[in-house]
Structure formats: structure tokens, C-alpha cells
Amino acid sequence: MSDAQATAKRVAPEKEGDERHDAIYRAVSDAIVEQRLKPGARLREDALADVFSISRTGIRKILQRLALEQLVTLTPRRGASVTRPTADEAKDVFDARQLVECGLMPDVAKRIGEKEAAELREMAREERHALRSGQQSTAIRLSADFHVRLAQLSGNATLAEFVERLCSRSSLILAVYGHRGHLGCESHDHDDLIGYLESGNGERAKAFMSRHLKAIEASLSMVEEEESAPDLQQIFGG
């Protein structure tokens, strides 16, 4: 039994609507970002319900949550499958990030304090450590968390929530089309960005964020793989 599956099963049955669902959601999300579940792979409700020992209704709710984040695609009569991002979709996502995240930088520069800057530096340090340790999926997730936290510091909760969804989508794009051991940007980029924000230079931070996102997008290698059927027992019950 995998650690993720064990965690999901340890939660009491009566908690199926909250903690248990969160654990299973995270297990499936991690498997997608780590590419143990490949783009296009079918996610059968009955098979997932059997693997995690919960109801198909519970699995359906989790798949719907993943679909909202565009990690999973729900198709009538075909069911759920891991989303297969295309080159056009990747461009749309990064175009949206350019508009929103860059636009938020001046507000972040006005609001950031020593405590927030220290928090961001620690997040950047953890990301670098994960990347150097070969933990690609962890590094991708930590990078997304960094960008989401930046957006939250702007004070605009609605846009921060939108950035969170864009970063979730970007995580899948990076996992599928990125390069191992590299996130498409320099390892010190996030530290440099924090420096501009901490000094109150919002326009410099805005320009730097734009270059940062363009570098990530430019690093992607958009080569699609053939669809395959995953062995869910092996992935989640190994």
C-alpha cells in the first residue's frame, strides 16, 4: 500500500466528506503531476473507488474537484481522464499569468513586509532544495505555491484564487512538457524577485515577473505522447 493510499484509508469513514477526500484528492493530484498518471489516461470511477475503498459518489466529487482545476477532463459517456494540455492551451495559460501576476506586483511591493519576505525566501529555498535533490514534482508544486502566495500578498483575494488555478494548470504543463532537473528559470529568480518587492520597486518586479514567466514558457518542449491505460492498483496500491 502506498503512503498516499495509507493516509487516505486512515481517516475515519464518517469523515469521507472532508479529510479523507482531501487525502485522496492530493494522492491523485500528485500522481498526475508526477506523471504516474499520464495525460489522456482514463480514470474509471469504479477502479478508483476500489483502490481507495470509498464510494463512487465520493470519487465522483474528487474528480469534479480535479476537473475544476483542469487537471482532469470529464467527458459525457467516456468519463474522466487526465487532461492532455496542448501547445495552444499552454500559451493561453501563460498569457493569462502574464496579465494577472505581473499586474499584481506593484500591489505586492506596497504590502510586503519583513515577515512576508522571509516566508517567501524560505519557500524559494525549499524549492531549490527539492530541485537539486531530484524531486521534480515537489519542486513544481513549491514553485506554484510561491506564485500563489505572492498573489495573496496583493490583497486581492479574487485574483489570488484565479492565480491558484492557473498555477495548478501550469504544474501539469511543466510536469508534462518541462525538463527534468529544471523549471525553465534560473534557480535564483525567485530570490531576485523578492529583492525587488522588498525594496518597494513594483515596476521593476513587474518587469522581472514578465521575463520570469516568458523563460518558463520558452523552456517547454511540446511533444505529445500516445494515450495509455494506467494500472491504478500499481500506482496507488503498490
Side-chain angles (χ1 to χ4, degrees):
M1 180 182 296
S2 67
D3 291 342
Q5 187 182 8
T7 299
K9 287 189 174 182
R10 277 200 298 269
V11 181
E14 61 270 17
K15 297 286 189 176
E16 186 174 308
D18 37 67
E19 292 104 313
R20 196 160 186 234
H21 279 195
D22 285 341
I24 297 170
Y25 157 80
R26 180 59 63 192
V28 178
S29 176
D30 285 347
I32 292 172
V33 173
E34 291 167 8
Q35 291 195 70
R36 289 181 285 125
L37 286 170
K38 300 287 186 181
R42 289 192 62 190
L43 301 174
R44 288 173 45 209
E45 290 180 6
D46 57 345
L48 285 169
D50 181 59
V51 165
F52 291 109
S53 298
I54 68 168
S55 67
R56 289 185 63 172
T57 299
I59 285 295
R60 194 171 296 121
K61 290 179 180 178
I62 292 165
L63 291 174
Q64 289 169 346
R65 179 178 173 185
L66 290 163
L68 284 174
E69 297 187 4
Q70 295 185 298
L71 293 177
V72 164
T73 299
L74 301 178
T75 306
R77 294 184 299 278
R78 189 175 187 275
S81 61
V82 177
T83 298
R84 185 192 297 275
T86 66
D88 286 343
E89 288 168 347
K91 184 179 186 305
D92 287 348
V93 168
F94 278 95
D95 283 351
R97 291 186 66 179
Q98 283 279 349
L99 288 171
V100 180
E101 291 189 70
C102 295
L104 290 176
M105 290 305 99
D107 287 336
V108 177
K110 292 175 184 176
R111 297 169 60 91
I112 194 172
E114 291 184 9
K115 179 181 177 182
E116 291 80 12
E119 176 190 0
L120 290 169
R121 284 199 171 89
E122 176 59 21
M123 295 177 77
R125 187 197 66 77
E126 291 178 0
E127 177 193 334
R128 288 195 303 273
H129 175 74
L131 199 58
R132 290 167 182 168
S133 302
Q135 303 173 59
Q136 185 81 0
S137 62
T138 300
I140 290 173
R141 190 176 299 284
L142 289 170
S143 179
D145 289 345
F146 178 91
H147 282 261
V148 171
R149 182 61 182 135
L150 271 182
Q152 291 171 343
L153 291 176
S154 72
N156 190 317
T158 300
L159 287 179
E161 183 179 351
F162 184 42
V163 169
E164 185 172 8
R165 291 194 179 187
L166 288 172
C167 286
S168 177
R169 186 75 167 135
S170 296
S171 293
L172 176 60
I173 292 168
L174 272 169
V176 175
Y177 300 114
H179 297 282
R180 294 293 302 175
H182 196 257
L183 295 184
C185 55
E186 297 298 328
S187 62
H188 54 75
D189 269 13
H190 284 170
D191 283 314
D192 290 347
L193 178 59
I194 296 166
Y196 295 134
L197 292 168
E198 198 172 21
S199 67
N201 197 332
E203 289 305 312
R204 187 78 179 271
K206 180 179 179 178
F208 188 88
M209 175 64 86
S210 179
R211 293 195 300 273
H212 175 66
L213 292 173
K214 286 177 181 176
I216 297 173
E217 184 179 4
S219 74
L220 301 175
S221 178
M222 302 299 291
V223 178
E224 298 187 11
E225 296 182 3
E226 293 296 321
E227 182 175 332
S228 60
D231 184 334
L232 298 177
Q233 284 290 348
Q234 180 181 9
I235 292 171
F236 296 112

